[in-house]
Amino acid sequence: LVNRTNIDLIYDPDLVRSIPVFVDIQNGTATEILRAILRGTPFDFIILSSGTYVITERKTIAARYGRFFGYVLDAETGTPISNATILLADASNSTFTNPNGFFSVSPLLAGDYPVVFSSLGYQSQSATIKIEENSTSQVIRLTPKPFQADPIVIEATPSLGLNQLAQGVPISGSDQIQRLASESAIQGTSFFSGIIFNQSQQTLSIQGGDPGNYLMMLDGVPMYASGTLGASISAFSPYAIDEVSIQKAGYDATHSDALDGLIQFRQHAPKGEQQTALVSAQPNSLNGQFSTALPGGWRSTATLRVNQPGRNMPLGFRDQLQDWNRLDPLLQNFLMGENGDIAHYNQAKQEQEFGFFDGHFTFEKTSADLDRTIISGYIGSQSFTSQLLSERLTIASVQPGFVYSREDIEQQTAMAQVTHFQVLSAKADAHIQGYVSFSSSDNQYFMQGNDSLHQAGHSSRQAFDFYQQQYRPDNTLIDQQETREAGVKSSLTYFMDARTKITTGLDLQYIDYLFGLNDLFYFPTQNQSSVLLSSLYTQSQFTLSKHVRFSAGFRSTFSSENQQAYVQPRFNLTIDTDRTLLGYHTFSISGGVYRQFIHQFDVTNIGPSAFRPFHRFILPVDASIPVPVSYHLAGGWTASPSEQTRFETEVYYKWEPQSYEMNIQQLLAEPTQASTALQDQSQFLTEAETYSVGGAFSITHTFNEPQIKLRWLNQVSISRRRNDARFNGNWTHTFWSEPFSTAAFLDWNISKRVSFLANARWTPVRFWAFNHAYYDFLTTHGTTEIAGFDFNSPDSQRLDPFFRADIGVTYRIPIRNSNLKTRIDLLNITNRLNETQRLLNPISSSGNTEYEVISRRLPGFIPSLSLQFEF
């Protein structure tokens, strides 16, 4: 120090002997450096009038310490506010509230401290607190304020950052989750970074990951394949969803096992003491919600959604779905025809029905000690029936004159759970949850050709009525799955001090399941068993300094099926900066090892008039195959030049060296015996290697006057897979992959009564353009190339670029103590008929067979009107 700064320094060498000190400091003054060297030692220094520094022993007066702790509550409802930030104004220390609104900052030297309390959606509050040795608990009440915020929080790992939004932003009553007449809580997540909804395949993926490898949860309960049937309609009422959070690449050990991430929905929690009710007529559904107080301090909320009576098809889709509901000419001729016998069929008569029901309920009680108990449940069903009668147009053909095909899909889902949050002490809290859930799906495809009715001169209407009367479901020809699950989750969180938090927990899952394929096309498959999964996890979070935080943890899961335990380590490092010329910055890097013990597999729907390209089934990993593994590495940068502007960037890499997909070759093989069935998963699954790499960049700016929020989001996502048994063993883009997309959003609160929403999305490249069965069914039977299209190379067939722009206007009319909200949505204002799938139509000409490309398309312009009455 003396040599570098040329100061005079006096001290007794015996005082400081054998006291190790390590200091890393740059560009500091001599006073700052010396103060850093002596910090934590029993020494201090004085500066004489001559400028000489003298090291002395500290005064022996013992310093008095205290702590600052208490609760942060909603001033209107008394509800605890989780993840609220408590910041000492001099930035010497900070913390955040736990799920019960509790916080603790310690130790602190006795004295006065300026503190700022803040939480998204609330008015910040400043106060000067007095710290004493025997400090008492504080209760801070924050007043809600309007705030234009994204309703869904996207994160790699829960952040403690001072410059980032906290996890779990409430969206109750927000228009954002019901953007532009979307009735899908699941599809609504696609407005945010890292979430990709593939319109052509109707699949949702997290950062390019397999749509079957993320886990969807409702109130902490796994909900397998809940959005498979109606990705556009979804499985939950959007009015019932109060909060959504998404864990992406690098999520921590406190969350369940999944290769590609989790989407967690929390149901609407009751607020306040008054009764509230809502009735809403959406374009395709009727919605109702009622909240009230009950004896014993309980509050309850019930939400119901049903499809509108008489409306069997989603608004705007009827014409397109009627056009889709026709025989695929290539598949039909492959299945029914002979070489050289190409028949063409006309869509003579068709009918479709689509129905759904969703019921949600919650009960919540908060005690005087802020312990909370939440009871919630859900029951839902979805059904789809498609009937088609096709009449042969080709005269010179031995194929049937009439072909009747029918597809029936039924899906049932239910769950109930009880969760209790307990504040154990000023430094510890715990939670325990018990739940049960059930899910089932039945898919049946029926197809029959008949020439006698046609030859007898029956009309298509008569033939259709005949088949309807004669059709009887054949329970021996049905694809099905049933999953029954019971689980217990518990966790303990301990705040060792203001800088260290440790969470440890135990998850137990018992799953009884049945999976079977018994249809017109696939080899019979039957997989049935039960499994107990026991997971123990620990996650530690350390605040290393004002700017640096580090967390590390591991999750160990034991499976009763193969009697093995799997350890999954995970980490996160986050660095915040002080204010710079470009504002505040946050940098993060995270990663880990991830396992998935419950498969969600897609089985191609091969039927020539199949409505959906595939069906999804659920089955836990059995002992015949290894448990799949994934490795994550993710990074992020957030910059806030001002309170109105935010830049966000994320990058990720996910590698799955051993994942699984359906073994199409084995499933399409001819049975050697009538009673033969595939039972072990090793018989009908095949190994594949998958990786996804990409990133996203977004700019968000909010204007205070006028109240406008603008957001521009760009995403890059490369997802590729290799299976030695398919596509010549080459790497190919996955069918859900969308390498690039860009989107823009505008949210304008014109006045207290009028708001305006607009968004636009463009995706230039989409792979796997043809009917999904072409790549699975035809190639397995040796037909790999037709009309110059190589079905062993799905990368080479691309759909036209996707583009869609929507606008919506909401007008609120106050009526005494209630509100009437009218909403007009203009969807796809450019009337663009985006491609969703391509088919090949064979045509005989001069003894040769030629093929033309036929496109299935999404709806064009759709106007809609919604009414919502709140009282």
Side-chain angles (χ1 to χ4, degrees), residues 548-606:
V548 181
R549 300 178 310 282
F550 177 75
S551 68
F554 72 89
R555 188 178 185 91
S556 178
T557 302
F558 177 82
S559 172
S560 65
E561 181 68 21
N562 51 23
Q563 299 295 306
Q564 293 187 34
Y566 302 84
V567 178
Q568 307 159 63
R570 299 164 191 181
F571 76 93
N572 171 262
L573 176 67
T574 301
I575 301 174
D576 293 320
T577 70
D578 287 327
R579 185 169 184 84
T580 67
L581 293 176
L582 297 178
Y584 292 99
H585 300 265
T586 297
F587 303 90
S588 66
I589 183 171
S590 58
V593 180
Y594 301 83
R595 297 276 182 172
Q596 186 150 333
F597 298 87
I598 301 175
H599 297 295
Q600 298 184 84
F601 285 113
D602 295 328
V603 179
T604 303
N605 193 351
I606 293 175

Side-chain angles (χ1 to χ4, degrees), residues 423-438:
V423 178
L424 301 178
S425 68
K427 288 190 173 185
D429 58 73
H431 109 280
I432 185 168
Q433 179 186 44
Y435 68 87
V436 292
S437 69
F438 169 80

Side-chain angles (χ1 to χ4, degrees), residues 85-113:
T85 300
I86 293 87
L87 173 65
L88 273 66
D90 62 358
S92 61
N93 212 332
S94 66
T95 188
F96 64 100
T97 57
N98 66 13
N100 295 304
F102 179 79
F103 68 90
S104 176
V105 182
S106 63
L108 291 173
L109 282 170
D112 295 334
Y113 291 83

Side-chain angles (χ1 to χ4, degrees), residues 524-746:
T525 303
Q526 193 81 17
N527 187 242
Q528 181 176 7
S529 186
S530 59
V531 61
L532 175 65
L533 300 175
S534 306
S535 298
L536 177 68
Y537 62 86
T538 298
Q539 185 75 29
S540 301
Q541 298 180 0
F542 308 95
T543 302
L544 303 181
S545 69
K546 182 177 68 173
H547 300 300
V548 181
R549 300 178 310 282
F550 177 75
S551 68
F554 72 89
R555 188 178 185 91
S556 178
T557 302
F558 177 82
S559 172
S560 65
E561 181 68 21
N562 51 23
Q563 299 295 306
Q564 293 187 34
Y566 302 84
V567 178
Q568 307 159 63
R570 299 164 191 181
F571 76 93
N572 171 262
L573 176 67
T574 301
I575 301 174
D576 293 320
T577 70
D578 287 327
R579 185 169 184 84
T580 67
L581 293 176
L582 297 178
Y584 292 99
H585 300 265
T586 297
F587 303 90
S588 66
I589 183 171
S590 58
V593 180
Y594 301 83
R595 297 276 182 172
Q596 186 150 333
F597 298 87
I598 301 175
H599 297 295
Q600 298 184 84
F601 285 113
D602 295 328
V603 179
T604 303
N605 193 351
I606 293 175
S609 61
F611 175 74
R612 281 191 54 80
F614 49 80
H615 300 295
R616 184 161 298 165
F617 296 94
I618 301 94
L619 62 162
V621 177
D622 69 11
S624 68
I625 60 173
V627 177
V629 62
S630 178
Y631 302 92
H632 292 188
L633 184 64
W637 167 60
T638 300
S640 301
S642 67
E643 293 183 5
Q644 289 76 35
T645 305
R646 186 171 72 249
F647 300 90
E648 293 178 286
T649 299
E650 66 178 33
V651 293
Y652 61 87
Y653 175 74
K654 295 188 289 190
W655 176 46
E656 299 173 16
Q658 189 177 51
S659 57
Y660 296 93
E661 62 182 3
M662 283 292 175
N663 189 332
I664 300 298
Q665 291 78 7
Q666 184 63 46
L667 289 175
L668 292 174
E670 292 292 335
T672 56
Q673 299 179 13
S675 60
T676 302
L678 305 176
Q679 296 183 346
D680 293 335
Q681 292 178 19
S682 61
Q683 295 178 295
F684 57 86
L685 297 180
T686 181
E687 290 189 11
E689 181 181 3
T690 308
Y691 75 85
S692 58
V693 59
F697 174 73
S698 67
I699 302 174
T700 305
H701 184 78
T702 302
F703 297 90
N704 293 327
E705 291 295 337
Q707 293 186 22
I708 296 178
K709 181 177 180 181
L710 298 174
R711 188 162 186 257
W712 180 39
L713 171 64
N714 295 280
Q715 299 195 83
V716 176
S717 178
I718 307 298
S719 177
R720 307 187 74 195
R721 173 173 286 180
R722 180 178 63 187
N723 181 338
D724 292 338
R726 302 189 66 195
F727 307 133
N728 300 320
N730 296 324
W731 284 98
T732 62
H733 285 88
T734 57
F735 66 82
W736 61 86
S737 177
E738 293 185 349
F740 175 78
S741 67
T742 185
F745 311 93
L746 181 149

Side-chain angles (χ1 to χ4, degrees), residues 337-407:
E338 300 177 355
N339 292 335
D341 183 9
I342 297 175
H344 290 84
Y345 284 83
N346 179 46
Q347 183 192 53
K349 178 67 177 175
Q350 67 94 34
E351 288 184 1
Q352 293 171 310
E353 293 183 2
F354 188 92
F356 56 87
F357 166 83
D358 296 293
H360 304 255
F361 72 86
T362 60
F363 296 89
E364 181 172 341
K365 179 180 180 180
T366 302
S367 69
D369 297 328
L370 297 183
D371 297 336
R372 278 196 302 157
T373 301
I374 301 174
I375 303 172
S376 64
Y378 166 76
I379 182 170
S381 66
Q382 298 181 14
S383 63
F384 175 78
T385 298
S386 175
Q387 299 181 81
L388 172 65
L389 181 75
S390 302
E391 184 177 10
R392 193 187 71 224
L393 297 178
T394 306
I395 298 176
S397 174
V398 297
Q399 295 189 41
F402 285 122
V403 174
Y404 175 80
S405 56
R406 180 182 177 120
E407 185 175 10

